Amino acid sequence: MTTIRSLAGVALALVPCAAALAQGSVTMYGILDNGYLSDKTQGKGTINAINPSLSVASRWGLRGAEDLGNGWKASFVLENGFTGDNGQQAFGRLFGRASYVGLSSRELGEIQLGRMANLGLLFTAGMMSPFGPSFQQAAVTTTAAYNTGDFGTTSRVNNAAYYFSPRWAGVQAGLGYSVQTADAEVAGGNRNNRMADLGLRYDGGRFKAAVSYQYVMPASTAGARGKPSNLQVGVNHDFGTFTLYGGYGRLNDPTVDPGANGATRFAATHDRDHAYQVGVKVPVGAGRVLLGYQWTTGSKIENYGLAYVYDLSRRTWLYVYANRTEFRLFSTAGATVGDAWRRQIAMGIAHRF
């Protein structure tokens, strides 16, 4: 009888522990993408290589959540980027893609603190083009400028606080502020690169739209000509037989040259640039065809992209694509040096886990 009572006591003691475990969870996830890339720039030899992250950036991460009761939840994300062809770490840090902790409520929304993607990447990049931020030079980053160092290197912002509203009839707002987009704050607010970030997105099912805006107050030591800002707008509509995409970006007063393809995108005379994107996604068999065109008015960049993605399963896909970028070269004084081109042909396999 004593043994039975002891076992019963242990069982009762474990009930709260089991309940606590049921309320919290940690998940490991990731993507591994490797393939073959042929990369040729005018005047240079062709690079033939097994390369990582050709259709999507390879990563692994940990995310967790704990139910705090009454509609409140605590969460975290730690996400690492890596190069799958050689196993090296990307971003020069362990959790370079994301490192934040958050607190959320169903009624009030969520606040996140740490290192995270800016709203140009989170809200608008995937709206502007079927390629989104992936597929190398066909990505929106060839012309859209949210990923320059002014707005967080590779679009990641350090030392930041972000708020995301609940969704109301498909609409969600985002608001962020970084007290220092670089690695560490220093004494004196004007000696830090501070950034405000605003975003709004709408998901109406077939029709989606988003707008984002980043505004930087540079450190007084940066020697900036002005205060960098970046506006992006993206829309797409699923017509059933195809999805049509469109996007617009406006970049003002960058302190970090958002060069693409080895070109000097901004010289001293190019303090403002306008970028445009159009594209289409067409379902074909078990896959989809992606077609996109993007260009800028001031820095004179044009890119044409074509891809086919074939789903082997819900988590594994094959891809093949080609793109060509034409761009203008400028001297530091702003004079036109000449025009050049770059083309890429790739194929590979990606797996989500």
Side-chain angles (χ1 to χ4, degrees):
M1 183 64 70
T2 301
T3 302
I4 294 175
R5 290 196 186 98
S6 299
L7 290 174
V10 171
L12 290 172
L14 289 174
V15 167
C17 296
L21 289 172
Q23 293 174 348
S25 64
V26 176
T27 302
M28 183 176 180
Y29 65 94
I31 301 173
L32 179 56
D33 177 352
N34 286 333
Y36 164 77
L37 173 67
S38 173
D39 195 335
K40 168 71 174 176
T41 300
Q42 181 179 351
K44 301 180 180 179
T46 301
I47 299 174
N48 296 290
I50 301 299
N51 267 27
S53 306
L54 294 177
S55 76
V56 66
S58 295
R59 73 203 66 172
W60 70 270
L62 299 169
R63 56 175 170 245
E66 181 187 13
D67 187 347
L68 302 175
N70 298 318
W72 288 91
K73 182 174 70 174
S75 62
F76 76 90
V77 172
L78 297 170
E79 190 169 287
N80 168 273
F82 65 94
T83 52
D85 60 330
N86 56 23
Q88 292 185 358
Q89 202 163 259
F91 300 97
R93 60 191 79 206
L94 179 58
F95 296 114
R97 292 182 60 87
S99 175
Y100 62 84
V101 62
L103 183 66
S104 64
S105 161
R106 287 193 297 266
E107 292 78 18
L108 301 177
E110 180 175 12
I111 187 168
Q112 300 172 353
L113 302 175
R115 174 181 171 87
M116 61 208 71
N118 64 32
L119 298 177
L121 175 58
L122 286 179
F123 276 24
T124 53
M127 298 282 191
M128 302 170 74
S129 163
F131 294 103
S134 304
F135 293 90
Q136 298 285 298
Q137 293 301 315
V140 296
T141 49
T142 293
T143 56
Y146 65 87
N147 67 322
T148 73
D150 282 325
F151 314 111
T153 304
T154 63
S155 71
R156 266 72 187 184
V157 183
N158 294 314
N159 309 303
Y162 273 73
Y163 167 75
F164 297 90
S165 75
R167 292 182 182 270
W168 299 297
V171 177
Q172 183 180 39
L175 172 65
Y177 186 82
S178 168
V179 295
Q180 169 62 295
T181 59
D183 278 336
E185 300 91 336
V186 297
N190 64 351
R191 296 176 61 85
N192 296 279
N193 287 301
R194 296 148 293 158
M195 188 188 85
D197 198 358
L198 305 172
L200 190 68
R201 60 183 171 184
Y202 169 73
D203 186 347
R206 288 187 176 274
F207 177 76
K208 299 178 177 65
V211 58
S212 63
Y213 180 73
Q214 292 87 42
Y215 179 79
V216 175
M217 294 142 280
S220 57
T221 56
R225 298 190 299 271
K227 295 182 178 180
S229 66
N230 181 58
L231 170 70
Q232 287 185 182
V233 180
V235 297
N236 62 72
H237 191 283
D238 184 355
F239 292 92
T241 54
F242 66 94
T243 302
L244 189 63
Y245 292 78
Y248 167 75
R250 188 194 68 201
L251 175 64
N252 285 345
D253 299 322
T255 64
V256 178
D257 193 318
N261 316 293
T264 300
R265 180 170 169 184
F266 272 84
T269 56
H270 294 113
D271 291 338
R272 174 175 292 186
D273 203 9
H274 299 275
Y276 299 88
Q277 312 249 355
V278 292
V280 64
K281 177 174 67 177
V282 183
V284 177
R288 52 208 170 275
V289 172
L290 313 178
L291 179 64
Y293 173 61
Q294 54 184 311
W295 71 100
T296 60
T297 58
S299 52
K300 305 300 182 183
I301 298 173
E302 289 185 90
N303 176 270
Y304 311 82
L306 174 66
Y308 179 66
V309 182
Y310 180 81
D311 294 320
L312 295 174
S313 71
R314 294 182 63 183
R315 297 190 298 158
T316 305
W317 61 94
L318 303 173
Y319 57 86
V320 58
Y321 67 84
N323 66 73
R324 178 184 172 92
T325 307
E326 299 175 359
F327 53 94
R328 183 156 295 174
L329 298 169
F330 298 98
S331 71
T332 55
T336 299
V337 175
D339 295 322
W341 55 262
R342 181 181 182 183
R343 69 105 179 105
Q344 295 178 320
I345 301 172
M347 62 185 70
I349 182 172
H351 175 74
R352 187 188 310 274
F353 59 89

